[in-house]
Amino acid sequence: RAGSSAPLQWEEIQPVGAGPAARHSHAATTFSVAQDAVFMFGGYGYTASLGDTWMFDSAVNGWESITFPTDVSLLLNSTCQQVTLNTEAPEPRAEHAMASDGSTALMCGGYLERTKYETVFAVATSGTTELLDCWWFQPLPVARWERLQVEPDTLAPSPRHGHTMIFDENHNHYIIIG
């Protein structure tokens, strides 16, 4: 805790049960609406970028794979309208960034593949312009991904990887650095 005179103490956690495959360059965040949980997406495994979503629940000290049905899932929302969930999901990626405003997270960028000679970015398009690929993630009441829609000719960041992102509560917006 910033400004605290108490020394930092580390504790090794031994999760119960199976967890995600080994990886690096993943993104993770927490949500005030899902206390005791950390959500993680993607990263780079042994041979390729990953596209899985996991939740670590510190209350039970274990991991849970968050699965999204490939068929159309329907719910009634608070206005009693039918809502279609998870019609698409982010492509596998690494070196992306994710930050939460407390109830929803924004995940942006990253690369799909990387070789010695080429980096294939995760991109969104607006007309013929390649933009930073961004997705909203909402953990509750049903976990879901939704692509950030960008209006044509809107100023938006270019594709990137290895950047950082935060949510600025004072100004109620996300900031991407790098």
Side-chain angles (χ1 to χ4, degrees):
R1 180 174 206 128
S4 173
S5 61
L8 180 64
Q9 295 182 359
W10 294 93
E11 178 182 348
E12 184 174 352
I13 297 172
Q14 297 296 325
V16 176
R23 67 191 66 212
H24 63 85
S25 304
H26 52 281
T29 193
T30 60
F31 297 87
S32 58
V33 297
Q35 293 181 359
D36 299 325
V38 176
F39 291 83
M40 176 181 73
F41 178 78
Y44 196 81
Y46 289 108
T47 59
S49 295
L50 302 168
D52 51 352
T53 305
W54 285 82
M55 178 187 73
F56 181 78
D57 186 343
S58 63
V60 297
N61 200 32
W63 286 99
E64 178 182 340
S65 175
I66 306 297
T67 57
F68 302 93
T70 55
D71 59 344
V72 177
S73 299
L74 300 173
L75 291 179
L76 289 179
N77 67 13
S78 60
T79 60
C80 295
Q81 296 174 336
Q82 219 169 23
V83 178
T84 303
L85 298 178
N86 301 315
T87 56
E88 59 180 339
E91 295 174 280
R93 65 191 65 208
E95 293 192 8
H96 48 294
M98 186 162 53
S100 169
D101 67 8
S103 61
T104 304
L106 183 62
M107 180 194 67
C108 294
Y111 65 81
L112 307 179
E113 317 178 19
R114 192 171 183 185
T115 68
K116 183 177 178 180
Y117 305 103
E118 177 183 37
T119 299
V120 179
F121 287 98
V123 298
T125 56
S126 177
T128 59
T129 306
E130 288 188 342
L131 306 172
L132 185 65
D133 183 47
C134 295
W135 292 79
W136 293 109
F137 177 69
Q138 183 176 337
L140 300 172
V142 176
R144 68 185 180 130
W145 286 104
E146 183 180 331
R147 184 184 295 273
L148 174 67
Q149 300 299 320
V150 179
E151 294 296 321
D153 302 319
T154 301
L155 179 62
S158 61
R160 64 194 63 219
H161 66 90
H163 54 288
T164 58
M165 183 166 53
I166 63 164
F167 179 74
D168 179 353
E169 292 181 14
N170 294 327
H171 297 96
N172 200 34
H173 60 244
Y174 290 87
I175 299 172
I176 295 173
I177 304 164

